Amino acid sequence: MAVFPIRSWPDPVLRAPAAPVSRIDGEIRRLVDDMLETMYRAPGVGLAAPQIGVALRVVVFDIGEGPHHLINPELLETSGAWSFDEGCLSVPGRFWPVRRPAFARARGLNLDGAEVEYAGEELLGRVLQHEIDHLGGTLILERLPRRTRKQALKELREEALGLGGES
Ligand code: NI
């Protein structure tokens, strides 16, 4: 297992749609292991493969109940609404209240190639939506209200140019 550097905004790999995994082999097993180790080290509750520079549809997460992974996940269903202070390892150190559906159900494959499904509200629902967003090249920034997004992008650009107040 290995810890990989986590790509951060504005890395273009975070904006590109990830490709489906066509064959679950040793490489994908190693990818899942590496992603889990990278996520735990960060630490975070979820990680998508593009965040370590691999444009494949693979996510891992652990909301406190142990490690899980999903290969080629699809969001099947969402409902309700819930606002929660959400962050992203690729936009480090920042949190915004983000309104999303409270409940989510997702299906994908595990490393044995078997179909698995996760469904839940609150943190589980949130993590499923957030990580599957990453696979489509969508970052938390796109989930912010227009005004908040504009301000966030302004701050991030200034920071990237070294104009930010924080070092
Ligand atoms: Ni994220």
Side-chain angles (χ1 to χ4, degrees):
M1 295 214 278
V3 170
F4 280 80
I6 295 177
R7 306 296 185 93
S8 58
W9 183 95
D11 193 316
V13 74
L14 298 169
R15 307 304 301 268
V21 171
S22 52
R23 199 163 68 97
I24 298 169
D25 54 12
E27 215 165 300
I28 297 299
R29 261 180 275 282
R30 195 158 50 240
L31 173 65
V32 167
D33 280 348
D34 291 343
M35 285 172 63
L36 281 167
E37 189 166 0
T38 302
M39 177 189 80
Y40 285 126
R41 186 68 63 90
V45 294
L47 192 75
Q51 292 183 277
I52 59 165
V54 178
L56 288 174
R57 295 188 63 85
V58 178
V59 304
V60 297
F61 58 94
D62 183 346
I63 58 160
E65 298 164 349
H68 296 286
H69 63 275
L70 273 175
I71 298 162
N72 298 341
E74 300 291 344
L75 209 51
L76 300 176
E77 185 190 350
T78 59
S79 61
W82 182 44
S83 190
F84 176 73
D85 270 349
E86 186 176 326
C88 177
L89 294 173
S90 293
V91 195
R94 286 162 189 274
F95 293 86
W96 295 275
V98 181
R99 192 178 163 84
R100 292 186 191 255
F103 171 86
R105 189 160 66 89
R107 185 187 293 156
L109 299 175
N110 65 17
L111 284 173
D112 298 322
E115 217 167 62
V116 283
E117 206 173 288
Y118 291 94
E121 295 198 295
E122 303 205 327
L123 195 52
L124 178 58
R126 177 75 45 153
V127 167
L128 291 172
Q129 294 174 72
H130 180 114
E131 301 313 329
I132 292 173
D133 259 2
H134 271 298
L135 304 181
T138 298
L139 287 177
I140 185 173
L141 297 163
E142 277 96 79
R143 298 299 183 191
L144 301 176
R146 216 176 105 99
R147 230 197 180 136
T148 313
R149 180 171 67 239
K150 261 182 90 173
Q151 181 61 32
L153 287 171
K154 183 171 171 274
E155 286 171 17
L156 288 168
R157 283 195 196 102
E158 284 175 1
E159 219 172 78
L161 292 170
L163 304 172
E166 289 172 298
S167 60

Coordinates of all heavy atoms in Angstrom, one line a residue, residues 69-129:
H69 N -15.6 0.2 -0.6 CA -15.2 0.7 -1.9 C -16.3 0.4 -2.9 O -17.1 -0.5 -2.6 CB -13.9 0.0 -2.4 CG -14.0 -1.5 -2.5 ND1 -13.8 -2.4 -1.5 CD2 -14.3 -2.2 -3.6 CE1 -14.0 -3.6 -1.9 NE2 -14.3 -3.5 -3.2
L70 N -16.3 1.2 -3.9 CA -17.3 1.0 -5.0 C -16.6 1.2 -6.3 O -16.0 2.2 -6.5 CB -18.5 1.9 -4.9 CG -19.7 1.5 -4.0 CD1 -20.7 2.7 -3.9 CD2 -20.4 0.3 -4.5
I71 N -16.7 0.2 -7.2 CA -16.2 0.3 -8.5 C -17.3 0.5 -9.5 O -18.4 -0.1 -9.4 CB -15.4 -1.0 -8.9 CG1 -14.3 -1.2 -7.9 CG2 -14.9 -1.0 -10.3 CD1 -13.7 -2.6 -7.8
N72 N -17.1 1.5 -10.4 CA -18.2 1.9 -11.4 C -19.5 2.2 -10.7 O -20.6 1.7 -11.1 CB -18.4 0.8 -12.4 CG -17.2 0.5 -13.3 OD1 -16.3 1.4 -13.3 ND2 -17.1 -0.6 -13.9
P73 N -19.5 3.0 -9.6 CA -20.7 3.3 -8.9 C -21.7 4.2 -9.7 O -21.2 5.1 -10.5 CB -20.2 4.0 -7.6 CG -19.0 4.7 -8.1 CD -18.4 3.8 -9.1
E74 N -22.9 4.0 -9.5 CA -24.0 4.9 -10.1 C -24.9 5.3 -8.9 O -25.2 4.5 -8.1 CB -24.8 4.2 -11.1 CG -24.0 3.7 -12.3 CD -23.4 4.8 -13.2 OE1 -23.9 5.9 -13.1 OE2 -22.5 4.5 -14.0
L75 N -25.3 6.5 -9.0 CA -26.3 7.0 -8.0 C -27.7 6.6 -8.6 O -28.0 7.0 -9.7 CB -26.2 8.5 -7.9 CG -26.5 9.2 -6.6 CD1 -25.8 8.6 -5.4 CD2 -26.2 10.7 -6.7
L76 N -28.4 5.8 -7.8 CA -29.7 5.3 -8.3 C -30.9 6.2 -7.9 O -31.9 6.3 -8.5 CB -29.9 3.9 -7.7 CG -28.9 2.8 -8.1 CD1 -29.3 1.6 -7.4 CD2 -28.9 2.7 -9.6
E77 N -30.7 6.8 -6.7 CA -31.9 7.5 -6.1 C -31.4 8.5 -5.1 O -30.5 8.2 -4.3 CB -32.7 6.4 -5.4 CG -34.0 6.8 -4.9 CD -34.7 5.7 -4.0 OE1 -34.2 4.6 -4.0 OE2 -35.6 6.0 -3.3
T78 N -32.0 9.6 -5.0 CA -31.8 10.6 -3.9 C -33.1 11.2 -3.5 O -34.1 11.2 -4.3 CB -30.9 11.8 -4.3 OG1 -31.4 12.4 -5.4 CG2 -29.5 11.3 -4.7
S79 N -33.2 11.6 -2.3 CA -34.5 12.3 -1.9 C -34.2 13.2 -0.6 O -33.2 13.0 0.1 CB -35.6 11.3 -1.6 OG -35.1 10.4 -0.5
G80 N -35.2 14.0 -0.4 CA -35.1 14.9 0.8 C -34.1 16.0 0.6 O -33.6 16.3 -0.6
A81 N -33.7 16.7 1.6 CA -32.8 17.8 1.6 C -32.1 17.9 2.9 O -32.8 17.8 4.0 CB -33.4 19.1 1.2
W82 N -30.8 18.3 2.9 CA -30.1 18.4 4.1 C -28.9 19.3 3.9 O -28.1 19.2 3.0 CB -29.6 17.0 4.6 CG -28.8 17.0 5.9 CD1 -29.2 17.7 7.0 CD2 -27.6 16.3 6.2 NE1 -28.2 17.4 8.0 CE2 -27.3 16.6 7.5 CE3 -26.8 15.5 5.4 CZ2 -26.1 16.0 8.2 CZ3 -25.6 14.9 6.1 CH2 -25.3 15.2 7.4
S83 N -28.8 20.3 4.8 CA -27.6 21.2 4.7 C -26.6 20.8 5.7 O -26.9 20.5 6.8 CB -28.1 22.7 4.9 OG -27.1 23.5 4.6
F84 N -25.3 20.7 5.3 CA -24.3 20.2 6.1 C -23.0 20.9 5.8 O -22.7 21.2 4.6 CB -24.2 18.7 5.9 CG -23.1 18.0 6.6 CD1 -23.2 17.8 8.0 CD2 -21.9 17.5 6.0 CE1 -22.2 17.1 8.7 CE2 -20.9 16.9 6.7 CZ -21.0 16.7 8.0
D85 N -22.1 21.2 6.7 CA -20.8 21.8 6.5 C -19.9 20.7 5.8 O -19.5 19.8 6.5 CB -20.2 22.2 7.8 CG -20.5 23.7 8.1 OD1 -21.1 24.4 7.2 OD2 -20.3 24.1 9.2
E86 N -19.7 20.9 4.5 CA -19.0 19.9 3.7 C -17.7 20.4 3.3 O -17.5 21.6 3.0 CB -19.9 19.6 2.5 CG -19.4 18.5 1.7 CD -20.4 18.1 0.6 OE1 -21.7 18.2 0.8 OE2 -20.0 17.8 -0.5
G87 N -16.7 19.5 3.2 CA -15.4 19.9 2.7 C -14.9 18.9 1.7 O -15.7 17.9 1.4
C88 N -13.8 19.1 1.1 CA -13.2 18.2 0.1 C -11.7 18.2 0.3 O -11.1 19.2 0.4 CB -13.6 18.6 -1.3 SG -12.9 17.6 -2.6
L89 N -11.1 17.0 0.3 CA -9.6 16.9 0.4 C -8.9 17.6 -0.8 O -7.8 18.0 -0.6 CB -9.2 15.4 0.5 CG -9.7 14.7 1.7 CD1 -9.3 13.2 1.6 CD2 -9.0 15.3 3.0
S90 N -9.6 17.9 -1.9 CA -9.0 18.5 -3.0 C -9.2 20.1 -2.9 O -8.7 20.8 -3.8 CB -9.6 18.0 -4.3 OG -9.2 16.6 -4.5
V91 N -9.9 20.5 -1.9 CA -10.0 22.0 -1.7 C -9.8 22.1 -0.2 O -10.6 22.4 0.6 CB -11.4 22.5 -2.0 CG1 -11.4 24.0 -2.1 CG2 -12.0 22.0 -3.3
P92 N -8.5 21.8 0.2 CA -8.2 21.6 1.6 C -8.5 22.8 2.5 O -8.3 23.9 2.1 CB -6.7 21.2 1.6 CG -6.2 21.7 0.3 CD -7.3 21.7 -0.6
G93 N -8.9 22.4 3.7 CA -9.1 23.4 4.8 C -10.3 24.3 4.7 O -10.5 25.2 5.5
R94 N -11.2 24.0 3.8 CA -12.4 24.8 3.6 C -13.7 24.0 3.8 O -13.7 22.9 3.3 CB -12.4 25.5 2.2 CG -11.4 26.6 2.1 CD -11.1 26.9 0.7 NE -10.0 27.8 0.6 CZ -10.1 29.2 0.7 NH1 -11.3 29.7 0.9 NH2 -9.1 29.9 0.7
F95 N -14.6 24.6 4.4 CA -15.9 24.0 4.6 C -17.0 25.0 4.2 O -16.9 26.2 4.6 CB -16.1 23.5 6.0 CG -15.1 22.4 6.3 CD1 -13.8 22.7 6.8 CD2 -15.5 21.1 6.2 CE1 -12.9 21.7 7.1 CE2 -14.6 20.0 6.5 CZ -13.3 20.4 6.9
W96 N -18.1 24.5 3.6 CA -19.2 25.3 3.3 C -20.5 24.6 3.6 O -20.5 23.4 3.4 CB -19.3 25.7 1.8 CG -18.1 26.5 1.3 CD1 -18.0 27.9 1.3 CD2 -17.0 26.1 0.6 NE1 -16.9 28.3 0.7 CE2 -16.2 27.2 0.3 CE3 -16.5 24.8 0.3 CZ2 -15.0 27.1 -0.4 CZ3 -15.3 24.7 -0.4 CH2 -14.5 25.8 -0.7
P97 N -21.5 25.3 4.1 CA -22.8 24.6 4.2 C -23.3 24.3 2.8 O -23.5 25.2 2.0 CB -23.7 25.6 4.9 CG -23.0 26.9 4.9 CD -21.6 26.7 4.4
V98 N -23.5 23.0 2.5 CA -23.9 22.6 1.2 C -25.2 21.9 1.4 O -25.3 20.9 2.2 CB -22.9 21.7 0.5 CG1 -23.4 21.3 -0.9 CG2 -21.5 22.4 0.4
R99 N -26.2 22.3 0.6 CA -27.5 21.6 0.6 C -27.6 20.6 -0.5 O -27.3 20.8 -1.7 CB -28.6 22.7 0.3 CG -30.0 22.3 0.6 CD -30.9 23.5 0.4 NE -32.3 23.0 0.2 CZ -33.1 22.8 1.3 NH1 -32.7 23.0 2.5 NH2 -34.3 22.4 1.1
R100 N -27.8 19.4 -0.1 CA -28.0 18.2 -1.0 C -29.1 17.4 -0.5 O -29.6 17.5 0.6 CB -26.7 17.3 -1.0 CG -25.4 17.9 -1.5 CD -24.4 16.8 -1.5 NE -23.0 17.3 -1.7 CZ -22.4 17.1 -2.9 NH1 -23.0 16.5 -3.9 NH2 -21.1 17.5 -3.0
P101 N -29.6 16.4 -1.4 CA -30.5 15.5 -0.9 C -30.0 14.7 0.3 O -28.8 14.5 0.4 CB -30.7 14.5 -2.1 CG -30.3 15.3 -3.3 CD -29.3 16.3 -2.8
A102 N -30.9 14.4 1.3 CA -30.5 13.8 2.5 C -30.2 12.3 2.4 O -29.3 11.8 3.0 CB -31.6 14.0 3.6
F103 N -30.9 11.7 1.5 CA -30.8 10.3 1.3 C -30.2 10.0 -0.1 O -30.6 10.6 -1.1 CB -32.2 9.6 1.4 CG -32.3 8.2 1.0 CD1 -32.0 7.2 1.9 CD2 -32.6 7.8 -0.3 CE1 -32.1 5.9 1.6 CE2 -32.7 6.5 -0.7 CZ -32.4 5.5 0.3
A104 N -29.4 9.0 -0.1 CA -28.9 8.5 -1.4 C -28.7 7.0 -1.5 O -28.5 6.4 -0.4 CB -27.5 9.2 -1.7
R105 N -28.9 6.5 -2.6 CA -28.7 5.0 -2.9 C -27.8 4.9 -4.1 O -28.1 5.5 -5.1 CB -30.1 4.4 -3.1 CG -30.0 2.8 -3.1 CD -31.4 2.2 -2.9 NE -32.3 2.6 -4.0 CZ -32.5 1.8 -5.0 NH1 -31.8 0.7 -5.2 NH2 -33.4 2.2 -6.0
A106 N -26.8 4.1 -3.9 CA -25.8 3.9 -5.0 C -25.5 2.4 -5.2 O -25.5 1.7 -4.2 CB -24.5 4.7 -4.7
R107 N -25.2 2.1 -6.4 CA -24.8 0.7 -6.7 C -23.5 0.6 -7.5 O -23.3 1.5 -8.3 CB -26.0 0.0 -7.5 CG -25.7 -1.5 -7.7 CD -26.8 -2.0 -8.7 NE -28.1 -2.0 -8.1 CZ -29.2 -2.0 -8.7 NH1 -29.2 -1.9 -10.1 NH2 -30.4 -2.0 -8.1
G108 N -22.7 -0.4 -7.2 CA -21.5 -0.5 -8.0 C -21.0 -2.0 -7.8 O -21.8 -2.9 -7.4
L109 N -19.7 -2.2 -8.1 CA -19.1 -3.5 -8.0 C -18.1 -3.5 -6.8 O -17.5 -2.4 -6.6 CB -18.5 -3.9 -9.3 CG -19.3 -4.0 -10.5 CD1 -18.5 -4.3 -11.7 CD2 -20.4 -5.1 -10.3
N110 N -17.9 -4.6 -6.2 CA -16.8 -4.7 -5.3 C -15.6 -5.4 -6.0 O -15.7 -5.8 -7.2 CB -17.2 -5.4 -4.0 CG -17.6 -6.9 -4.2 OD1 -17.3 -7.5 -5.2 ND2 -18.3 -7.4 -3.2
L111 N -14.5 -5.6 -5.2 CA -13.3 -6.2 -5.9 C -13.5 -7.6 -6.3 O -12.7 -8.2 -7.1 CB -12.1 -6.1 -4.9 CG -11.5 -4.7 -4.8 CD1 -10.5 -4.7 -3.7 CD2 -10.9 -4.2 -6.1
D112 N -14.6 -8.3 -5.8 CA -14.9 -9.7 -6.3 C -15.8 -9.6 -7.6 O -16.2 -10.6 -8.1 CB -15.6 -10.4 -5.3 CG -14.8 -10.6 -4.0 OD1 -13.6 -10.8 -4.1 OD2 -15.4 -10.5 -2.9
G113 N -16.1 -8.4 -8.0 CA -17.0 -8.3 -9.2 C -18.4 -8.4 -8.9 O -19.2 -8.5 -9.8
A114 N -18.8 -8.5 -7.6 CA -20.2 -8.6 -7.2 C -20.8 -7.3 -7.1 O -20.2 -6.3 -6.7 CB -20.3 -9.4 -5.9
E115 N -22.1 -7.2 -7.4 CA -22.9 -6.0 -7.3 C -23.1 -5.7 -5.8 O -23.6 -6.6 -5.1 CB -24.2 -6.2 -8.0 CG -24.6 -4.9 -8.7 CD -25.8 -5.2 -9.7 OE1 -26.8 -5.6 -9.3 OE2 -25.5 -4.9 -10.9
V116 N -22.9 -4.5 -5.4 CA -23.1 -4.1 -4.0 C -23.9 -2.7 -4.1 O -23.7 -1.9 -5.0 CB -21.8 -3.9 -3.2 CG1 -21.3 -5.3 -2.8 CG2 -20.8 -3.1 -3.9
E117 N -24.7 -2.6 -3.0 CA -25.5 -1.4 -2.9 C -25.3 -0.7 -1.6 O -25.3 -1.5 -0.6 CB -27.0 -1.8 -3.2 CG -27.8 -0.6 -3.7 CD -29.2 -1.1 -4.1 OE1 -29.3 -1.8 -5.1 OE2 -30.1 -0.7 -3.4
Y118 N -25.2 0.6 -1.5 CA -25.2 1.3 -0.3 C -26.3 2.3 -0.3 O -26.6 3.0 -1.3 CB -23.9 2.1 -0.1 CG -22.7 1.1 0.2 CD1 -21.9 0.7 -0.9 CD2 -22.4 0.7 1.4 CE1 -20.9 -0.1 -0.7 CE2 -21.4 -0.2 1.7 CZ -20.6 -0.6 0.6 OH -19.5 -1.4 0.8
A119 N -27.0 2.5 0.8 CA -28.1 3.5 0.9 C -28.1 4.0 2.3 O -27.9 3.3 3.3 CB -29.4 2.8 0.6
G120 N -28.3 5.3 2.4 CA -28.3 5.9 3.7 C -28.6 7.4 3.7 O -28.6 8.0 2.6
E121 N -28.9 8.0 4.8 CA -29.1 9.4 5.0 C -27.8 10.0 5.6 O -26.9 9.3 5.9 CB -30.3 9.6 5.9 CG -31.6 9.1 5.3 CD -32.8 9.7 6.0 OE1 -33.0 9.4 7.1 OE2 -33.5 10.5 5.3
E122 N -27.9 11.3 5.8 CA -26.9 12.1 6.5 C -25.5 11.8 5.9 O -25.3 11.8 4.7 CB -27.0 11.9 8.0 CG -28.4 12.3 8.4 CD -28.6 12.7 9.8 OE1 -27.9 12.2 10.7 OE2 -29.4 13.6 10.1
L123 N -24.6 11.4 6.8 CA -23.2 11.3 6.3 C -23.0 10.3 5.2 O -22.3 10.6 4.2 CB -22.2 11.0 7.5 CG -20.7 11.3 7.2 CD1 -20.5 12.7 6.6 CD2 -19.9 11.1 8.4
L124 N -23.6 9.1 5.3 CA -23.4 8.2 4.2 C -24.0 8.7 2.9 O -23.4 8.6 1.8 CB -24.1 6.8 4.6 CG -24.0 5.7 3.5 CD1 -22.6 5.4 3.1 CD2 -24.7 4.5 3.9
G125 N -25.2 9.2 3.0 CA -25.8 9.8 1.7 C -25.0 10.9 1.2 O -24.8 11.0 -0.1
R126 N -24.4 11.7 2.0 CA -23.6 12.8 1.6 C -22.3 12.3 0.9 O -21.9 12.8 -0.2 CB -23.2 13.6 2.9 CG -22.3 14.8 2.7 CD -22.9 16.0 2.1 NE -24.2 16.4 2.5 CZ -24.7 17.6 2.5 NH1 -24.0 18.6 2.0 NH2 -26.0 17.8 2.9
V127 N -21.6 11.4 1.6 CA -20.4 10.9 1.0 C -20.6 10.2 -0.3 O -19.8 10.4 -1.3 CB -19.7 9.9 2.0 CG1 -18.6 9.1 1.4 CG2 -19.2 10.7 3.2
L128 N -21.6 9.4 -0.5 CA -21.9 8.8 -1.7 C -22.1 9.8 -2.8 O -21.5 9.7 -3.9 CB -23.2 7.9 -1.6 CG -23.1 6.6 -0.8 CD1 -24.5 6.0 -0.6 CD2 -22.1 5.6 -1.3
Q129 N -22.9 10.9 -2.6 CA -23.1 11.9 -3.6 C -21.8 12.6 -3.9 O -21.5 12.9 -5.1 CB -24.2 12.9 -3.1 CG -25.5 12.2 -2.9 CD -26.5 13.2 -2.3 OE1 -26.9 14.2 -3.0 NE2 -26.9 13.0 -1.1

